[in-house]
Amino acid sequence: MVRKGASAGIVSRGLRLGRLGLSLTGSYLGYQAQNLFWGEATRDKRQRAFEERASKQVRRELGSLKGAAMKLGQLLSLQTHALPAEAIEELSQLQMSAPAMHPTLARAQFKAALGKYPEEVLAEFEPEPFAAASLGQVHRARTKEGEKAAVKIQYPAIRSSIESDFKLLRSAMLPARASGHLPKAILDEVQRGFLEETDYIHEARNIESFASGLRRFEYLSIPKVHPGLTAERVLTMSFVEGENVGEFLKKRPSPSVRDLLGERLIELFYFQLHWLKALHADHHPGNYLFAPGGQIGLVDFGCVKGIGFDAGDLIRSCVERAWRRGDKDAQRVLRHVFGTKAPYARARKMLSTLEEMAAILFPEGRATGSKVDFGKAESLNMLSRALRRAVKDKITNPEFAFVSRAELGLYSLLHRLGSKVDVATVWRRVEGMGPK
């Protein structure tokens, strides 16, 4: 039975999302009607102004709702190929600058989780957060031992708001679910991931696991957990230095540094898939911190997933175009995408998509060894279309869909960096590394 208060919360959030949609629709229709009376130059100017106003409105509303609604906005901010620049700029602010909790509430949340106020267990604690996102906010602090720290404090009742948002989402997506184009398994997987991020003890274990698994990469910084200052809704870590991609790019880093960062991001992605069999899957810009020398800081390990299918074999097969060798190899490759239950005749339609992706990432012939220019919108658009076709099929393996979503986030980040990378060479290097 749904409690009366919880039911009211669901209705309230649903009404707010509905009003946002109606408001944007009305604004758009009014804008289009006025366009009939303006010349082309004025129409372009008014279009940019409309997109900016609409983007600000979406960012404010999703930011205030927090929870799954805000995370939806974060996912949209990665669609650099599909949304206007004004929308990307506004939605990107959701990564690190959502409306924060009042300092009094943040202290209360800290004490509820750890039994003491921040000033009782820390040498310093800044009451105002330096980052606030969908599930919690992060404060600068200093431990009793003098180490700089970051303290993540979860918003009150965030888990219940996520559950409420997914009830709304499941209702809104009923036609897509009924047709099979949004399989229940995929929606369940997204919800599982969101809810998992509300358990900071689980995230602390993820941090320690990845710090161990990725220790060979000297250019990578991962925070160290302070177990005695961590609970289910409070996570205290060492402070990781660096700038998010927006701030980093304002300093106009050289093309060689941007290429180096792109190469390293792909190296980390492939190593996780192939050797760790687990993936830090949240590639929104706020989770990556960059330094001028090519160093990378990786934070926020709430969204992590173990990979059950052989992702390394799928990458290798794309490099080699293994499906061209015959049906036996084609069936093996397609099982990674669809699992074991997909009818082969139907799954074969995916081979053209794999060919298209492989042609971009792993060029053949005279183009062998050439770099992929992720800064080109055309490259990102083609990769995005291919990945979307792959996950749109109602029989797609949910694990493959999860990896594809993370992969698209990675490509969007590389697009913002404008990186050029010889992806095939990076894969061969990773394949030869072995676990350490």
Side-chain angles (χ1 to χ4, degrees):
M1 179 180 294
V2 179
R3 291 180 290 107
K4 184 176 180 180
S7 178
I10 293 172
V11 172
S12 174
R13 291 175 70 84
L15 288 173
R16 289 178 65 182
L17 288 170
R19 282 197 299 269
L20 175 61
L22 288 172
S23 175
L24 291 174
T25 300
S27 298
Y28 178 74
L29 291 175
Y31 150 75
Q32 290 286 36
Q34 293 176 41
N35 261 353
L36 297 174
F37 303 98
W38 300 102
E40 184 174 348
T42 303
R43 281 200 298 269
D44 290 342
K45 182 178 180 180
R46 290 176 60 81
Q47 179 180 351
R48 288 192 296 271
F50 168 76
E51 289 170 348
E52 184 176 355
R53 288 195 305 273
S55 300
K56 287 181 183 293
Q57 185 180 358
V58 170
R59 188 255 302 166
R60 285 195 297 267
E61 190 66 21
L62 294 182
S64 66
L65 283 168
K66 298 189 173 75
M70 182 175 169
K71 288 191 73 66
L72 173 61
Q74 292 178 343
L75 291 175
L76 288 173
S77 75
L78 301 178
Q79 310 307 308
T80 55
H81 60 290
L83 294 177
E86 291 82 0
I88 296 299
E89 184 67 26
E90 285 295 330
L91 291 172
S92 293
Q93 295 183 39
L94 290 174
Q95 311 295 351
M96 301 293 284
S97 57
M101 282 186 284
H102 190 277
T104 302
L105 180 56
R107 290 178 70 250
Q109 285 289 96
F110 187 99
K111 184 176 182 181
L114 293 173
K116 294 184 178 181
Y117 287 113
E119 60 270 20
E120 296 181 87
V121 292
L122 293 163
E124 298 175 14
F125 177 82
E126 294 187 5
E128 296 294 336
F130 71 89
S134 55
L135 305 183
Q137 60 191 43
V138 191
H139 298 253
R140 287 187 175 86
R142 192 175 295 275
T143 67
K144 295 285 189 180
E145 294 72 31
E147 182 181 357
K148 291 173 67 176
V151 181
K152 184 157 73 168
I153 304 176
Q154 193 171 120
Y155 301 130
I158 198 67
R159 188 178 184 90
S160 62
S161 75
I162 290 174
E163 292 170 342
S164 299
D165 285 348
F166 269 91
K167 288 179 181 177
L168 294 169
L169 182 60
R170 288 174 191 278
S171 176
M173 295 298 178
L174 184 58
R177 289 164 52 206
S179 68
H181 289 96
L182 181 61
K184 180 179 182 296
I186 290 179
L187 201 56
D188 288 346
E189 177 62 32
V190 175
Q191 181 174 6
R192 181 206 62 78
F194 281 13
L195 290 173
E196 195 172 84
E197 290 186 57
T198 65
D199 183 353
Y200 289 173
I201 295 292
H202 182 79
E203 182 175 350
R205 289 196 293 266
N206 288 338
I207 293 173
E208 292 168 347
S209 175
F210 274 75
S212 174
L214 299 175
R215 64 185 181 277
R216 70 191 304 152
F217 300 104
E218 295 182 358
Y219 58 78
L220 179 67
S221 296
I222 292 176
K224 180 186 70 177
V225 176
H226 293 283
L229 298 171
T230 294
E232 187 177 351
R233 294 186 297 280
V234 170
L235 174 59
T236 304
M237 308 157 283
S238 59
F239 191 88
V240 176
E241 302 288 349
E243 297 176 309
N244 64 50
V245 65
E247 294 301 316
F248 179 74
L249 290 175
K250 287 179 181 178
K251 297 184 177 178
R252 299 186 179 280
S254 68
S256 61
V257 169
R258 290 186 278 116
D259 292 349
L260 176 61
L261 287 171
E263 179 180 318
R264 289 175 169 178
L265 288 169
I266 291 176
E267 182 176 58
L268 292 170
F269 185 77
Y270 281 166
F271 188 88
Q272 291 171 69
L273 286 176
H274 186 47
W275 292 111
L276 297 189
K277 310 294 184 185
L279 185 63
H280 177 286
D282 199 347
H283 282 83
H284 75 64
N287 290 344
Y288 287 83
L289 304 174
F290 301 111
Q295 295 82 15
I296 299 173
L298 184 57
V299 297
D300 196 340
F301 288 79
C303 185
V304 166
K305 182 172 174 58
I307 307 301
F309 72 97
D310 193 343
D313 183 59
L314 178 58
I315 298 168
R316 186 186 309 111
S317 297
C318 287
V319 174
E320 300 172 355
R321 289 15 175 220
W323 50 84
R324 297 176 184 172
R325 296 196 290 256
D327 283 353
K328 182 178 180 180
D329 285 290
Q331 288 179 11
R332 174 177 53 79
V333 173
L334 292 171
R335 277 196 294 269
H336 298 315
V337 180
F338 295 107
T340 59
K341 298 181 180 180
Y344 178 55
R346 178 174 171 184
R348 274 186 63 87
K349 297 178 181 178
M350 177 58 62
L351 294 180
S352 61
T353 298
L354 293 178
E355 282 277 2
E356 183 179 358
M357 291 181 63
I360 300 171
L361 295 172
F362 313 110
E364 296 178 296
R366 293 183 179 179
T368 299
S370 62
K371 293 185 176 183
V372 180
D373 187 350
F374 288 97
K376 284 187 175 180
E378 179 184 1
S379 298
L380 186 62
N381 287 338
M382 292 175 68
L383 288 168
S384 174
R385 286 196 301 269
L387 286 169
R388 288 178 186 280
R389 284 199 298 270
V391 301
K392 187 177 180 181
D393 197 294
K394 64 183 68 176
I395 56 176
T396 297
N397 173 11
E399 277 194 349
F400 175 82
F402 183 92
V403 171
S404 295
R405 189 188 77 177
E407 190 173 3
L408 182 56
L410 170 64
Y411 295 153
S412 295
L413 183 55
L414 296 175
H415 177 66
R416 291 193 69 184
L417 285 169
S419 301
K420 297 179 182 178
V421 184
D422 181 350
V423 181
T425 297
V426 175
W427 161 249
R428 285 191 289 269
R429 183 168 71 238
V430 169
E431 191 178 23
M433 285 180 176
K436 184 177 179 180

